[in-house]
Amino acid sequence: MKPLAPGTVIFHRHRGYGVIVSVNLLTGWISARFGSEVRTLDLNLSSDEVQHADGAPILFRRAPPDRMPHARLMAMVRELHRTGYQRLYLYSWPKPSGLHWRWHLFTGPRQWIERPWREGWYGSGADYNFNPVMGWGDTPSATPEDLAHLLAQFDPQGLAQALGNDEEHSNWFEMVCATLLPDYAFSLGWHDNGNIPEHLPVIPIRRNVPEYAGPPLPWPPGWRHIWRTSGKSPLLRYDPPVRTTYRITPEPQD
């Protein structure tokens, strides 16, 4: 199936050739502009007989689309780990609404809480539904190798900070990818009154995928060091550092 994204040229039997302005892969609706029309036209890919510019039919829902980019990012990070960029980390967590999952790539020291933020290295499934790209000049059909190459072109200085060894984490990440891909991804966030689950949360990346029933997965190396035991419960709770305010007063002058 050819990729669908804003800028894709399409053909409609009543309107002729047009350009996609926005696309929602969860609902199957697109907005397109035809000719010199100012307003966009909303079309349903399942019933409006939209075609690619070369006449190839758009067969929507033959394969459910990914509702988040996390599996593609996991495959890309694994590829970069294998080439020596082992200090590249993927952090994913749910939005407060629980409808979408965020993602954040960071490099350098493995600091899960105090993570460095770089423009273009984070996003959300909410954005991916309407424009299934990362923003690095990639396309929806880009392979993990393509994504790694495009990220290196997009921010070579940022990726250079990932060059180095972290075998403990890269071995864990390799094991998680081999277990979850291509239908599932992991999450480092949860909704359980602040208590950390015993095993790594797993989420399906598309609709109609059954709940994960594979072996339980461990948390990433060093993750539990961030947490402390809460009372007599075997679960752990995050205990953030307390910011202390110091007030400086001048010394009395003689």
Side-chain angles (χ1 to χ4, degrees), residues 200-241:
L200 184 70
V202 176
I203 52 177
I205 64 167
R206 65 180 67 90
R207 296 180 60 185
N208 302 325
V209 173
E211 290 295 325
Y212 176 73
L217 298 173
W219 291 90
W223 179 261
R224 287 184 176 271
H225 294 171
I226 309 173
W227 307 77
R228 295 181 181 178
T229 304
S230 176
K232 298 181 180 179
S233 172
L235 299 178
L236 301 178
R237 184 182 297 274
Y238 177 50
D239 189 8

